[in-house]
Amino acid sequence: MKQQTTKLEIFRSYLLGRIKESRVGAIDLNSDGNPTFEVMPEIQNYTWVVDLAKREGVAATPTSGSAGARLTITEEKTNV
């Protein structure tokens, strides 16, 4: 059976087409066991990434204590 592509994977693939690959991390599990990845967009693309994440239903959160513009991307949980 083919595994369904998640919103997070689709969003990451889209970012890879717009941002240098070296600035987009791999999907991994955070301490809560949720899939997540980090992205370091250029300053001029920072707001664009946050806005796109909101439209696509994923959360883009600034990573605390990081140097530069680093965002942690996680899939938003919905009550279904």
Side-chain angles (χ1 to χ4, degrees), residues 34-55:
N34 299 319
T36 185
F37 71 92
E38 288 190 344
V39 61
M40 296 175 293
E42 292 85 358
I43 296 301
Q44 67 269 21
N45 290 332
Y46 188 87
T47 303
W48 173 82
V49 172
V50 172
D51 290 344
L52 181 63
K54 191 178 294 185
R55 285 194 309 267

Side-chain angles (χ1 to χ4, degrees), residues 2-3 7-8 10-11 13 33 53 63-64 68 70-71 77:
K2 187 177 179 181
Q3 188 177 10
K7 278 197 279 188
L8 198 64
I10 294 167
F11 185 73
S13 294
T63 303
S64 61
R70 183 181 302 242
L71 295 167
K77 299 295 180 194

Side-chain angles (χ1 to χ4, degrees), residues 4 14 16 18 20-21 27-29 38 40-42 49 51 53-55 57 59-60 63 67:
Q4 186 177 3
Y14 186 73
L16 285 171
R18 302 282 306 244
K20 290 181 185 176
E21 186 174 352
I27 296 175
D28 203 358
L29 298 179
E38 288 190 344
M40 296 175 293
E42 292 85 358
V49 172
D51 290 344
K54 191 178 294 185
R55 285 194 309 267
T63 303

